[in-house]
C-alpha cells in the first residue's frame, strides 16, 4: 500500500495481490455470477429504448500530454437519456425486468419487452405495482424515470445528506421521495423494511447473499457503456479508472472488457478516502465494510458496503484501488471546465471529476504511476459518470454554471 500526502490531503493506492493475469480468460465461476448472456440481453433491450444513442467517447490530447500518457479518453455519460448520468442504464433496466417478471407471474404468456411496457400495453396491471429504492441521487433518478417510462408507482428513500437539488430532480419524474435520518446504508435497510411491509419491489444496486437478481440486472445495464467503448475506440484502453460506490459500475466495466478483449485493461477502482470499502477489501483480500462518519462531495460514491455480486469480479480482475480526498474531485471538475489547448470544455460532476483528479494527483509521482502500470504509452479511459446533477453544487465547485462553461466553449471555437 502506498500513501501520498499532498499538503493536508491524502491519496492511497494499493495493488491487488489476488488479481488473475491480464491475459487470463474470463473465468467460468464469474460467468456463472455475471454471464455474458445477461450482458447481451441488456444491450439488446436498452438499444431499443426510445431516445437511445451511444454517448460520446471524447479524445483529450491536451490533457494526455499534460499527464504524460499516449491517449486520454472520456466517456461522457451526461447525455444518457436526458438524465445527466450513467445510472439511466441500470436502475431503469432493472425496473423493466422487475415488471416483466411480475407480469409473467400474473399470467402473461408472451415475453414482455420494453416497448410494450413503454406503450402502456399492460398499464392497468403495472400501475398497481410499486418499486422502491434508496439513493444518493442518480440511481433514484434512474429508477424514478424507469417507473414513469414503464408505467408503475415509485417510492425513493434518501438520507439526510442528499441535497435538495437531487431530491427535486427525482420528484420531477413523479416519484414519492422520503427523507430519513442517517446515511446511505441506513436508507438501504429502511427501503427493504418498508418494501417488505407494503409489498413493494426493491430495485437496488447493492447485492447481498439473499438479494442478487435485481443488482445483476442493474450491473448488466451498466455494461452497455463498455460495449459502446469497444465499438467507438480506435485503440482500446490499457487502463480504466472506474468509480466504485458499492462496486456495480466498476464490476460491470471490468467484466465486459474481460469478456471481449484478449487482454483486459488495468482497471483502477476509485473511491473517496471517506468511503473506501472496495479499497479496504482489496487491501485485505476479503470483502470488508467501512463506517462512514463524514460525507464526501462525491455523493454517488458514499457507500460503506461492497456488493456481494461486484466483489468476486473486483477481487479477481481489478488491478488496483485508489482512494482520494475530495480536493482532487473538485480539481478534476475545474480542469474539465478549463481544458488544455485542443481539448473541449466538459461539464463533469463530482464523481466524474474524481476520475481526472486521481490522475492529476499522480503528476510528478513516477513510482506511484509505475505501481499502477501507467507509462508514456498508456491509453487511459475515464468514465464521466455524471454532469451537473446538482447545479448548485456544480457551480459552487467550478465557479460557473454548466451553461457558462459550455458557452465559453462555443466562443473559443
Amino acid at each position: 500500500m502506498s500513501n501520498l500526502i499532498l499538503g493536508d490531503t491524502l491519496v492511497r493506492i494499493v495493488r491487488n495481490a489476488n488479481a488473475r493475469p491480464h491475459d487470463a480468460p474470463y473465468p467460468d465461476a464469474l460467468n456463472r455470477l455475471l454471464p455474458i448472456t445477461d450482458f447481451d440481453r441488456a444491450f439488446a433491450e436498452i438499444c431499443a429504448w426510445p431516445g437511445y444513442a451511444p454517448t460520446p467517447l471524447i479524445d483529450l490530447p491536451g490533457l494526455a500530454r499534460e499527464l504524460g500518457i499516449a491517449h486520454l479518453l472520456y466517456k461522457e455519460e451526461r447525455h444518457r437519456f436526458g438524465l445527466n448520468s450513467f445510472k439511466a442504464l441500470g436502475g431503469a433496466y432493472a425496473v423493466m425486468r422487475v415488471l416483466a417478471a411480475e407480469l409473467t407471474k400474473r399470467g402473461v404468456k408472451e415475453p414482455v419487452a420494453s416497448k410494450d411496457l413503454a406503450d402502456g400495453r399492460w398499464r392497468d396491471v403495472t400501475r398497481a405495482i410499486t418499486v422502491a429504492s434508496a439513493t444518493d441521487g442518480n440511481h433514484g433518478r434512474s429508477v424514478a424515470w424507469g417507473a414513469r417510462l414503464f408505467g408503475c408507482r415509485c417510492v425513493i428513500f434518501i438520507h439526510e445528506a442528499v441535497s435538495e437539488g437531487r431530491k427535486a430532480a427525482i420528484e420531477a419524474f413523479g416519484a414519492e421521495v422520503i427523507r430519513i435520518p442517517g446515511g446511505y446504508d441506513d436508507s438501504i435497510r429502511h427501503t427493504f423494511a418498508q418494501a417488505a411491509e407494503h409489498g413493494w419491489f426493491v430495485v437496488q444496486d447493492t447485492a447481498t447473499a439473499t438479494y442478487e437478481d435485481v443488482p445483476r440486472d442493474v450491473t448488466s445495464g451498466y455494461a452497455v457503456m463498455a460495449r459502446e467503448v469497444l465499438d467507438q475506440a480506435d485503440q482500446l484502453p490499457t487502463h480504466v479508472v472506474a468509480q466504485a460506490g458499492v462496486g456495480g459500475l466498476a464490476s460491470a466495466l471490468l467484466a465486459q472488457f474481460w469478456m471481449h478483449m484478449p487482454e483486459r485493461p488495468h482497471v483502477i477502482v476509485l473511491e473517496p478516502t471517506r468511503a473506501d470499502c472496495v479499497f479496504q477489501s482489496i487491501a485485505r483480500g476479503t470483502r470488508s465494510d467501512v463506517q462512514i462518519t463524514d460525507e464526501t462531495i462525491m455523493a454517488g460514491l458514499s457507500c460503506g458496503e461492497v456488493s456481494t455480486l461486484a466483489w468476486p469480479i473486483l477481487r479477481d480482475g481489478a488491478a488496483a484501488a485508489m482512494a482520494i480526498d475530495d480536493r482532487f474531485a473538485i480539481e478534476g471538475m475545474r480542469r474539465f471546465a478549463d481544458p488544455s489547448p485542443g481539448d473541449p470544455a466538459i461539464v463533469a460532476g463530482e464523481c466524474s471529476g474524481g476520475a481526472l483528479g486521481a490522475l492529476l494527483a499522480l503528476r510528478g509521482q513516477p513510482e506511484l504511476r509505475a505501481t499502477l502500470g501507467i507509462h508514456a504509452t498508456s491509453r487511459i479511459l475515464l468514465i464521466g459518470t455524471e454532469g451537473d446533477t446538482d447545479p448548485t453544487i456544480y457551480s459552487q465547485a467550478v465557479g460557473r454554471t454548466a451553461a457558462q462553461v459550455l458557452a465559453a466553449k462555443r466562443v473559443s471555437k
Side-chain angles (χ1 to χ4, degrees):
M1 186 185 302
S2 300
N3 287 339
L4 170 65
I5 300 175
L6 298 174
D8 59 351
T9 57
L10 178 66
V11 176
R12 298 192 188 104
I13 296 173
V14 62
R15 287 197 59 81
N16 184 5
N18 296 307
R20 294 173 183 252
H22 282 273
D23 59 354
Y26 190 63
D28 290 341
L30 297 186
N31 193 54
R32 289 191 292 272
L33 188 70
L34 274 180
I36 192 170
T37 51
D38 283 12
F39 288 130
D40 291 345
R41 177 174 56 201
F43 184 75
E45 195 72 54
I46 291 170
C47 286
W49 288 1
Y52 168 78
T55 52
L57 183 65
I58 302 173
D59 189 15
L60 298 169
L63 266 173
R65 287 190 298 270
E66 181 179 332
L67 294 169
I69 59 176
H71 293 283
L72 185 66
L73 300 172
Y74 182 81
K75 184 65 167 162
E76 190 176 29
E77 289 296 300
R78 182 172 66 90
H79 303 282
R80 187 70 72 178
F81 290 112
L83 294 190
N84 215 359
S85 164
F86 81 99
K87 290 282 190 175
L89 295 170
Y93 176 66
V95 169
M96 175 263 161
R97 292 276 296 160
V98 164
L99 294 178
E102 184 61 15
L103 286 168
T104 299
K105 289 180 182 177
R106 297 187 184 194
V108 174
K109 302 299 183 183
E110 60 191 281
V112 177
S114 297
K115 184 179 186 305
D116 296 322
L117 286 167
D119 288 346
R121 183 175 178 183
W122 293 289
R123 190 64 57 98
D124 288 346
V125 179
T126 60
R127 65 163 51 103
I129 297 172
T130 299
V131 295
S133 188
T135 187
D136 280 312
N138 291 337
H139 175 72
R141 191 185 308 198
S142 173
V143 172
W145 176 70
R148 187 178 74 172
L149 177 65
F150 299 126
C152 67
R153 179 172 175 262
C154 181
V155 179
I156 300 294
F157 294 95
I158 59 174
H159 59 86
E160 57 193 22
V162 175
S163 71
E164 284 296 319
R166 292 195 169 100
K167 177 177 182 286
I170 298 168
E171 290 173 330
F173 291 106
E176 179 183 357
V177 182
I178 301 171
R179 191 184 294 275
I180 68 156
Y184 175 71
D185 298 316
D186 298 306
S187 66
I188 289 180
R189 288 187 281 271
H190 188 79
T191 299
F192 276 96
Q194 289 296 299
E197 180 179 340
H198 297 290
W200 300 339
F201 294 87
V202 177
V203 178
Q204 206 62 50
D205 53 0
T206 306
T208 67
T210 57
Y211 180 77
E212 287 195 338
D213 289 346
V214 171
R216 184 176 291 109
D217 288 331
V218 172
T219 302
S220 298
Y222 291 164
V224 167
M225 282 181 286
R227 285 284 289 269
E228 291 176 354
V229 169
L230 291 169
D231 291 336
Q232 292 170 314
D234 293 329
Q235 291 182 291
L236 293 175
T238 60
H239 295 71
V240 180
V241 179
Q243 296 92 329
V246 300
L249 168 64
S251 63
L253 297 172
L254 173 53
Q256 190 75 157
F257 285 132
W258 200 344
M259 291 174 182
H260 290 280
M261 293 175 63
E263 183 170 312
R264 76 179 187 278
H266 292 73
V267 172
I268 302 166
V269 181
L270 177 69
E271 292 175 293
T273 52
R274 299 178 185 182
D276 60 348
C277 55
V278 175
F279 180 97
Q280 296 297 337
S281 297
I282 287 178
R284 299 169 186 173
T286 186
R287 180 175 170 270
S288 303
D289 298 340
V290 300
Q291 186 69 37
I292 298 173
T293 56
D294 295 311
E295 287 296 331
T296 168
I297 192 174
M298 292 171 273
L301 307 184
S302 185
C303 306
E305 300 178 11
V306 186
S307 167
T308 59
L309 188 66
W311 170 239
I313 309 290
L314 300 176
R315 178 198 61 207
D316 289 4
M322 188 170 178
I324 62 170
D325 187 86
D326 282 4
R327 160 198 159 183
F328 297 104
I330 296 172
E331 183 180 358
M333 295 169 70
R334 292 173 177 171
R335 286 295 285 114
F336 276 131
D338 293 303
S340 300
D343 292 351
I346 292 173
V347 174
E350 307 92 292
C351 301
S352 301
L356 176 57
L359 296 183
L360 294 173
L362 297 176
R363 287 176 299 182
Q365 305 293 331
E367 291 185 4
L368 294 182
R369 285 163 56 97
T371 296
L372 297 173
I374 297 175
H375 305 286
T377 59
S378 298
R379 301 183 298 275
I380 302 180
L381 171 66
L382 304 183
I383 307 300
T385 48
E386 81 293 325
D388 60 326
T389 51
D390 187 311
T392 300
I393 292 175
Y394 179 83
S395 61
Q396 288 172 346
V398 175
R400 287 171 289 162
T401 66
Q404 290 169 329
V405 168
L406 297 177
K409 168 185 171 182
R410 288 195 295 271
V411 170
S412 68
K413 290 183 177 180

